[in-house]
Amino acid sequence: MAIDRGLEARLKAIEARLQMLEDDRAIRELLARYGFNADYGRAKEYVDLYTEDGVMNLGTIVTRGVGYEGIQRWEGKRQLMEFITDPRAHKAIEGRCMHVQGNNLVTYIKGNEAVAESYSIVLLREENDTIVRSAGFNHWTLRKVNSKWLIKERKRRAIGGEEYREVITATKA
Amino acid sequence: MAIDRGLEARLKAIEARLQMLEDDRAIRELLARYGFNADYGRAKEYVDLYTEDGVMNLGTIVTRGVGYEGIQRWEGKRQLMEFITDPRAHKAIEGRCMHVQGNNLVTYIKGNEAVAESYSIVLLREENDTIVRSAGFNHWTLRKVNSKWLIKERKRRAIGGEEYREVITATKA
Amino acid sequence: MAIDRGLEARLKAIEARLQMLEDDRAIRELLARYGFNADYGRAKEYVDLYTEDGVMNLGTIVTRGVGYEGIQRWEGKRQLMEFITDPRAHKAIEGRCMHVQGNNLVTYIKGNEAVAESYSIVLLREENDTIVRSAGFNHWTLRKVNSKWLIKERKRRAIGGEEYREVITATKA
């Protein structure tokens, strides 16, 4: 039996709404996994959350005199692997740090392209105290490749200073 | 062709479940946007997340001697605009602060009315350190107007002291 | 009228996708409620988020000399009730603390079994300052009982030290 046209339209609308909710869930999961993969020392899995030409674009992160000064950019999986395994960067605090994404918000999804905003917070254990190491505004450009959402570009700017305005310009209310 | 009654009931149940998930998503998005709009200096967009008669009801926020003492209340868009653009309040830390909502939980949705609970955390950059400026319990009363979820009342009480018990009374396990 | 086989398969696929999204939502809600029930003094509701044989398995939590040293384990509702009402533990900071779950990620759902990962952060008000009291990696084993998701085991390890590797081993990228 052929499905009549009214019913077919109704089913298609239902399936499109489901797809939107599933994409939203998958992207929020990607932002969560991003922190776990970094903090749990899964370098390959961390890098594989990016597209082949994926870019990480970070602003100044200086805590108690240690960190990056100014805008830094890593492009492609080889550079991203260098970043995540650099003994002076993440590796120096692995096991003592926690990367949390807050206010995760998917602002745009259309087909295989999406945009998300989030706040990133890094907590660090130092002796008996746990401190906030850094906090930043994030703008994520995402692409679905083979049914899997990946990061095309992560742009992150610390709170404080003026660099953060670049992230704001990119976001939509 | 008319759809038979069994099929119609099944489609209606599916559509109602979808609507519930979409409302839950929209409300969680509202809580995320609330922080972005404040922190990114979008005063109009911040105010427009409230209903025309929207109320913000805050308890004591005092950090290192600066802030509000006791219960404060802003009602309607004009007062909310005064709050968000007050040079002594949010504007004094804009760019150096981050408003994060945690444990976002929609506890009730029925038609155009909803209730949500959350924890609000404000991070602040001071010199080279990032500190927790304040942390509070929140009870949100929400209303859907023209298909868009808006804030009817935000009640927030800082952790510490006794004021917070009022929020607890309003929440459901 | 009997529904034809193609339509029946399509409806069943839609309903299965909806169920997955609803389970994901319910589990994320469980993680949020967990913090509220503890912080708002709802001991019975806190314990009732666990299965009858539920286990909480915590690692060292020491902040400024106060807390648990080494792996601790509470099994079953009676022991969990002892934990949450112990005047030397949570009760000692209730009203001044906030338990936030971050990066909430449901990594596995099949029928009535599920696994989730999260980061737990405890904020504490001390005089005029709010500090991060502790931060930990969490692995949650969950079971659906009478249509309600409950905690079968919560394993939590603080950042810092070596204990946390046990949580990592249990997680999937």
Side-chain angles (χ1 to χ4, degrees), chain B residues 53-163:
Chain B
D53 59 350
V55 171
M56 181 161 60
N57 182 323
L58 301 184
T60 298
I61 307 179
V62 180
T63 304
R64 302 183 182 186
V66 178
Y68 296 103
E69 187 80 46
I71 311 298
Q72 312 277 330
R73 198 172 180 280
W74 292 261
E75 181 167 356
K77 294 200 170 186
R78 195 179 55 75
Q79 286 187 17
L80 289 164
M81 182 60 86
E82 281 171 15
F83 163 80
I84 198 67
T85 56
D86 183 344
R88 296 160 303 175
H90 186 274
K91 280 291 172 193
I93 55 171
E94 200 175 287
R96 295 189 294 125
C97 68
M98 184 180 276
H99 288 72
V100 189
Q101 299 293 332
N103 289 18
N104 300 345
L105 175 66
V106 183
T107 53
Y108 174 86
I109 305 176
K110 190 158 187 187
N112 295 322
E113 308 291 331
V115 172
E117 317 293 340
S118 76
Y119 285 164
S120 57
I121 303 165
V122 183
L123 300 179
L124 181 67
R125 180 75 182 250
E126 289 192 328
E127 307 281 330
N128 274 329
D129 290 326
T130 302
I131 64 161
V132 180
R133 187 180 193 243
S134 67
F137 303 130
N138 291 264
H139 182 79
W140 306 80
T141 311
L142 307 151
R143 177 170 287 168
K144 189 153 64 172
V145 181
N146 298 327
S147 306
K148 199 177 165 186
W149 285 100
L150 299 171
I151 303 159
K152 205 175 140 191
E153 186 185 34
R154 176 194 180 196
K155 185 173 280 189
R156 183 257 186 214
R157 297 292 180 266
I159 59 173
E162 285 298 314
E163 290 174 359

Side-chain angles (χ1 to χ4, degrees), chain A residues 20 23 27 106 108-115 142 144 149:
Chain A
M20 181 63 76
D23 282 336
I27 291 168
V106 183
Y108 175 85
I109 304 176
K110 191 156 187 189
N112 295 322
E113 307 291 331
V115 172
L142 307 151
K144 189 153 62 171
W149 285 99

Side-chain angles (χ1 to χ4, degrees), chain A residues 7 10-11, chain B residues 1-15, chain C residues 1-4 7-8 11 15:
Chain A
L7 175 58
R10 196 165 168 188
L11 287 168
Chain B
M1 182 191 88
I3 293 176
D4 83 302
R5 282 202 295 187
L7 176 57
E8 178 59 30
R10 196 164 168 189
L11 287 169
K12 275 209 159 62
I14 286 169
E15 287 162 340
Chain C
M1 183 191 89
I3 292 176
D4 82 303
L7 176 57
E8 177 60 29
L11 287 169
E15 287 162 339

